[in-house]
Amino acid sequence: MGNKFTTESELERNLINQLTNGVSQWTYRKDLNTEEKLWKNFKDKLENNNKDVLNEVNLTAQEFRQIQNQLNFANFYDAAKWLSGENGIAKVQVQREDASLGTIRLKVLNRADIAGGMSSYEVINQFISFKQESDDRERRFDVTLLINGLPMIHIELKNRAHSYMDAFRQIKKYLVQGKFTGVFSALQMFVISNGSDTRYIAAATDTNLKEPFLAKWVDGTNQPVTNYLEFAQQVLSIPQAHKMVTQYTVIDSKRKGLILLRPYQIHAIEAVKAASRRQESGYVWHTTGSGKTLTSYKVARNLLQIPSLDKTIFIVDRVDLDQQTTASFSSYAEHDVIDIDETDNVTELVNKLLSKERTVVVTTIQKLNHVMKRYEGKEESTKYKKLTQVKMAFVVDECHRAVSPQKKQEIERFFRRSLWYGFTGTPIFAENARAALGDLARTTEELYGNRLHEYTVKEAIHDKAVLGFQVEYKSTFSEYELDMMLKQLNPKVELSTMTSQEKETLIPKEVYEDEEHMLEVIHSIVNKSRSKLGFPNGVGNTNNAILTTSSISQAQKYYDLFKKVINEQTSVKIGKRTKSVLPDFPKIAITYSISENEEASEENQKKMAASIKDYNEMFHTNYSLTEMKAYNRNVNDRLARKQEKYKFRNEQLDLVIVVDRLLTGFDAPSLSTLFIDRPPMKPHDIIQAFSRTNRLFDNAKHYGQVVTFQTPKTFEEKVTKALILYSNGGENEVLAPTWEEAKKVFQDSVHELRMLAETPEEVDDTNVAKMKKFAKAFQVFDRSLSAIKVYSEFEPELLEDKYGLTDEEIEEYHGKYVNVIEILKTPPVDIDDPEKIEIDIEYELESVRTDEINYEYILILIQAFVPNDNDSSKVKEFKQNSNEVDSYISDLGRGNPKLGELMKKLWKDIQENPDNYRGAQVSTLLEDMIQDTTQSLVKEFSNKMGLKSNEFQYVVENYNPSKPRQNGEHELKRTSDYETYKENSEKPVKRLTYWKEVREQFADLIEEEILPLQKR
């Protein structure tokens, strides 16, 4: 007997009871189960909340259709923009049928009216998403939460026999099928759960709804809340649910997406608000990479809700770094109720500070300095007196370095009524305190006050808010070569009594400036880092990297040497394996600060001008030395790849060479690797630099990867100390396994796989229990193989030489695994299985990848050409990249002609008639084409062969090539009609062989025409 799991319907009932009982303000509406009923309910609420505007003349059917059209959003991002509203109130406009009544604007939802007079909260379940076409299937949604009649939060449930990821995949399927449209297009948040594990994510299109961004809720002490009823109590109750979709969301206009804050960000915001009400300053320690800029933005914005404050001042660091922070702020603020004021000069800044508008002012420490200097000796002036009395909160990003203790003291003496809130991923502690200087603060706590909220790298990795680090400590010469070098330098040195670290202190600086060393570093980057840089993901989906050096001159030497390697002018050659994936690899750029006061300035400017010229030729840009700020911003954007434009391979950078730029405060999720050819930095600088790499990106990015090339033992010790300091004693959880540890896991997985099936052929003819053991073992093998491939020590030849595994044999095991999974997908899977082995049926293989072009990537590129409501220039803007799409579709067509042909047709139509597709989702359009084609084939075949089309449709949907008999085949045969077949066929077979003919032909049709369309 298998385990008896709580049914999904019981989970639904329990959830609804949790939401609607006690002090809850949710009302259960069992009656609201169709779109028509939802619209009617919404209309009632709209009229009730706008009696004053309607003046007792309710909406006509034609007027309400105007509203329905306005609320039928092209995507969730557009819905979020509308919800942001005018001063936080979302409205709709109606031209009244009675012309004398004119045009009116009706309030739909007030972001600030939480549990207030116009806000209503309802729970529905088993909503019926009716068939949109005759061939479509009716769907029933699980639980949805309505605010003022509009669906805002959708909850998809699976019972505990399933992974919560099955609920996630169900939502993605609904998205592809275009189910969340009409009244459901206003959704802002998805929740998925199997009862035991619960996650949430911002609503997005199917191609942008990515597993790594699923968030787990934690309470105020960072304890996880995964049970669905506890989650409902803490997150989905009122007022929290209302806040989640209004106050804790951010609309990112640059990425064209919605961001839902993670729990630690929400707890920090609330902690700062509470401190400000107490008139206390303090700081927030959130590990680098966990979204500090976003959190500080929300803090700056929310502080203005406190009446005792006049202004919020957001202080950013150096000019070349605040470009990204300011751009992020502008992107977040574009659709927010608060304007972000950037200040271009001191006079403008003074005017902003004295204005009565309640705004967030973004400025630099330098400009504040100029304000104070301007009023030196003018203490009796009116402006001075007004400025010093402004009640303001200073929000400081990267506060461990942005404002010095001395400067903060000066600002506080000038702005006498100020509160200070610092944000940092690397606070200064007693262990790495600043040097003593009078009575000035030496640590972050002394400078800002109490720690208001803490979220360390250990906690963030555990919650999957950031990735862990995989660090490799390399040397370009062996231990023996090091000994010989030191003996040569000093014949008297006693090497036998020295540790490796002691030897490393004797290495002359010149060794690391030698071209031989630098070429070894380049060889490691271009030929031994393919997995690190995501080459298995295919063209356009690879990652990028930063190489940091100890000086500008060294960075310049590297840039010149890379150019020589690319032009095949050195002993290092870019290998065939590298070129086979990216023929144009590596595309490089360099950036460093240029000062006119430096002795080497003229030479630096000359070299920078030459590298900018290379950059212009590579990307068809037009920058010059006089536009360094614009050049740096473009390098930042190109490396970050957050905009649609940079999804195209033509527009992508692979490597940027820096000294210190981009190592702090720079956010690039696609950046996977930091190469370090310089001595170890200070603890907080190590963590800051490492944290450029560990942003979440996609399923293939497992760690932030770091490779050091100098003094490996010394570097390892420094990194360990830094991680102990900044991970709250959890440094072992922060670091990925070493090569030796990863290799041992892989060896064990190979042994386990061989024990179950010495050869791939042994997988055949086993029972269900053994199949499940094999599937589990192969998944472990796949994960461990994928893991060892990213280490520099890994060479493909190792698999055969050391483990006797050929590529062909791995492919055969893979083929058997795919067959086994198909069999296990067919219920019942638990018969005669006493061990109850749980496996992830939907597990996506990581190590066994083909060179086939990525289907989803092509959809993302085509989507870039689809105009939205506000932008008609996209086709023109991306025209130079259309050849890239042509090439990828051609590649797809070679492997899958059927799917390639459909995609080619859609792509051609979008290019020729872009306005016809305005606001459409390409994935849904293609899915519709696939379904239409499939239905056409099913109907044509059914008519020809005398079959019931709905019975044949069932066989198609459940077809399994590895099974001798198909689900639904018996019923298909029972309802078949030989006489119809005989009439429709030119050369009909005899009745005795009719069914054999049907089976052979439907197998050919499904496998050759229909299944290829589903291989995506």
Side-chain angles (χ1 to χ4, degrees), residues 302-564:
N302 286 353
L303 282 172
L304 290 179
Q305 295 173 359
I306 296 167
S308 61
L309 291 171
D310 299 321
K311 294 282 174 187
T312 304
I313 313 298
F314 189 86
I315 297 179
V316 289
D317 197 27
R318 300 197 308 271
V319 174
D320 60 350
L321 282 180
D322 51 296
Q323 286 173 15
Q324 192 181 41
T325 301
T326 305
S328 295
F329 260 60
S330 300
S331 179
Y332 302 151
E334 189 174 321
H335 303 291
D336 209 337
V337 293
I338 296 295
D339 291 327
I340 299 297
D341 292 321
E342 293 180 53
T343 52
D344 293 329
N345 57 55
V346 176
T347 302
E348 188 182 342
L349 176 55
V350 171
N351 292 337
K352 295 287 184 190
L353 295 177
L354 292 177
S355 77
K356 291 185 178 179
E357 293 175 15
R358 297 176 61 74
T359 54
V360 177
V361 179
V362 180
T363 191
T364 62
I365 200 73
Q366 292 89 342
K367 286 171 191 163
L368 280 172
N369 211 28
H370 288 314
V371 169
M372 294 187 296
K373 280 187 177 176
R374 178 175 286 190
Y375 289 94
E376 276 181 13
K378 298 179 182 176
E379 287 80 4
E380 297 306 312
S381 70
T382 305
K383 275 196 175 179
Y384 172 84
K385 288 176 181 176
K386 282 183 178 177
L387 277 172
T388 58
Q389 293 305 306
V390 176
K391 291 177 281 187
M392 58 178 66
F394 286 98
V395 178
V396 188
D397 198 16
E398 305 293 356
C399 72
H400 61 280
R401 60 175 167 76
V403 182
S404 69
Q406 194 165 357
K407 187 55 62 184
K408 180 172 178 285
Q409 198 176 77
E410 289 173 22
I411 295 171
E412 283 179 301
R413 284 173 183 161
F414 187 89
F415 296 103
R416 297 166 195 169
R417 306 179 73 178
S418 60
L419 294 171
W420 289 75
Y421 300 106
F423 285 79
T424 179
T426 49
I428 305 299
F429 298 118
E431 292 90 333
N432 60 330
R434 294 182 177 93
L437 187 63
D439 64 346
L440 292 176
R442 298 180 62 201
T443 67
T444 303
E445 187 158 339
E446 287 175 8
L447 192 59
Y448 287 92
N450 290 334
R451 189 184 306 163
L452 301 176
H453 195 260
E454 155 184 326
Y455 191 67
T456 68
V457 66
K458 180 182 76 173
E459 290 160 338
I461 289 167
H462 180 264
D463 293 342
K464 298 184 178 175
V466 299
L467 304 172
F469 299 113
Q470 184 207 65
V471 189
E472 294 182 17
Y473 306 97
K474 300 291 169 198
S475 176
T476 54
F477 41 82
S478 67
E479 191 84 21
Y480 173 75
E481 287 169 326
L482 173 60
D483 287 353
M484 291 300 97
M485 181 201 309
L486 297 180
K487 274 288 186 187
Q488 219 171 0
L489 288 166
N490 182 3
K492 294 180 181 178
V493 70
E494 285 292 334
L495 296 176
S496 59
T497 61
M498 296 176 74
T499 64
S500 295
Q501 268 181 267
E502 288 169 335
K503 291 177 188 178
E504 287 173 358
T505 60
L506 303 177
I507 300 173
K509 183 183 173 186
E510 296 74 37
V511 170
Y512 294 119
E513 294 172 348
D514 185 76
E515 189 171 295
E516 192 176 336
H517 161 78
M518 293 170 70
L519 281 172
E520 275 297 314
V521 171
I522 292 175
H523 173 60
S524 181
I525 292 171
V526 298
N527 290 322
K528 289 181 170 285
S529 302
R530 286 183 294 273
S531 290
K532 279 183 170 55
L533 296 174
F535 274 50
N537 305 338
V539 182
N541 287 315
T542 54
N543 303 119
N544 47 34
I546 288 175
L547 167 63
T548 175
T549 69
S550 54
S551 67
I552 290 175
S553 62
Q554 184 78 341
Q556 291 164 343
K557 284 179 191 172
Y558 261 117
Y559 184 82
D560 293 339
L561 206 50
F562 262 106
K563 283 176 68 176
K564 286 182 180 178

Side-chain angles (χ1 to χ4, degrees), residues 258-272:
L258 181 66
I259 302 170
L260 258 174
L261 297 188
R262 287 175 175 261
Y264 58 87
Q265 295 174 305
I266 293 168
H267 297 319
I269 290 165
E270 295 302 325
V272 172

Side-chain angles (χ1 to χ4, degrees), residues 451-682:
R451 189 184 306 163
L452 301 176
H453 195 260
E454 155 184 326
Y455 191 67
T456 68
V457 66
K458 180 182 76 173
E459 290 160 338
I461 289 167
H462 180 264
D463 293 342
K464 298 184 178 175
V466 299
L467 304 172
F469 299 113
Q470 184 207 65
V471 189
E472 294 182 17
Y473 306 97
K474 300 291 169 198
S475 176
T476 54
F477 41 82
S478 67
E479 191 84 21
Y480 173 75
E481 287 169 326
L482 173 60
D483 287 353
M484 291 300 97
M485 181 201 309
L486 297 180
K487 274 288 186 187
Q488 219 171 0
L489 288 166
N490 182 3
K492 294 180 181 178
V493 70
E494 285 292 334
L495 296 176
S496 59
T497 61
M498 296 176 74
T499 64
S500 295
Q501 268 181 267
E502 288 169 335
K503 291 177 188 178
E504 287 173 358
T505 60
L506 303 177
I507 300 173
K509 183 183 173 186
E510 296 74 37
V511 170
Y512 294 119
E513 294 172 348
D514 185 76
E515 189 171 295
E516 192 176 336
H517 161 78
M518 293 170 70
L519 281 172
E520 275 297 314
V521 171
I522 292 175
H523 173 60
S524 181
I525 292 171
V526 298
N527 290 322
K528 289 181 170 285
S529 302
R530 286 183 294 273
S531 290
K532 279 183 170 55
L533 296 174
F535 274 50
N537 305 338
V539 182
N541 287 315
T542 54
N543 303 119
N544 47 34
I546 288 175
L547 167 63
T548 175
T549 69
S550 54
S551 67
I552 290 175
S553 62
Q554 184 78 341
Q556 291 164 343
K557 284 179 191 172
Y558 261 117
Y559 184 82
D560 293 339
L561 206 50
F562 262 106
K563 283 176 68 176
K564 286 182 180 178
V565 170
I566 291 165
N567 294 324
E568 300 187 340
Q569 296 169 342
T570 69
S571 57
V572 171
K573 307 295 179 193
I574 300 173
K576 288 180 182 176
R577 283 184 183 139
T578 302
K579 288 287 189 185
S580 67
V581 179
L582 296 182
D584 56 358
F585 180 85
K587 295 199 277 186
I588 63 168
I590 185 171
T591 177
Y592 48 82
S593 300
I594 295 176
S595 169
E596 292 178 11
N597 302 323
E598 291 175 9
E599 206 173 302
S601 180
E602 194 175 329
E603 182 64 18
N604 286 346
Q605 289 184 33
K606 184 180 169 185
K607 284 189 171 290
M608 180 55 80
S611 60
I612 289 176
K613 185 170 180 281
D614 294 340
Y615 188 87
N616 287 335
E617 287 173 5
M618 195 182 338
F619 297 117
H620 310 291
T621 48
N622 193 28
Y623 299 108
S624 66
L625 266 184
T626 58
E627 300 167 295
M628 276 299 294
K629 190 172 181 179
Y631 165 75
N632 283 334
R633 188 182 295 121
N634 193 258
V635 169
N636 287 4
D637 289 346
R638 207 173 288 278
L639 198 60
R641 294 188 195 169
K642 292 179 182 178
Q643 298 169 41
E644 282 181 326
K645 179 179 181 179
Y646 303 116
K647 304 288 185 191
F648 294 90
R649 174 61 194 165
N650 292 343
E651 303 287 353
Q652 291 177 352
L653 264 175
D654 297 312
L655 181 79
V656 177
I657 303 168
V658 305
V659 182
D660 293 316
R661 273 207 80 241
L662 305 180
L663 296 187
T664 54
F666 177 65
D667 176 43
S670 60
L671 194 149
S672 67
T673 313
L674 175 68
F675 298 105
I676 303 179
D677 189 21
R678 61 190 289 175
M681 301 86 96
K682 292 177 181 175

Side-chain angles (χ1 to χ4, degrees), residues 901-917:
E901 197 55 42
L902 283 188
M903 197 176 276
K904 189 176 179 181
K905 183 180 184 306
L906 177 60
W907 168 228
K908 186 183 176 191
D909 286 350
I910 288 172
Q911 285 179 293
E912 290 176 355
N913 307 292
D915 283 330
N916 291 352
Y917 295 93

Side-chain angles (χ1 to χ4, degrees), residues 898-899 902 930 933-934 1009-1016:
K898 303 295 179 187
L899 187 58
L902 283 188
I930 289 168
T933 304
T934 302
E1009 301 286 336
I1010 295 175
L1011 289 187
L1013 296 177
Q1014 297 169 0
K1015 285 175 71 176
R1016 52 192 194 278

Side-chain angles (χ1 to χ4, degrees), residues 45 76 105 220 227 303 376 399 473 504 805 845 848 927:
K45 298 202 177 296
F76 305 120
R105 294 178 64 72
N227 177 275
L303 282 172
E376 276 181 13
C399 72
Y473 306 97
E504 287 173 358
L805 278 167
L845 295 172
V848 184
E927 182 68 19

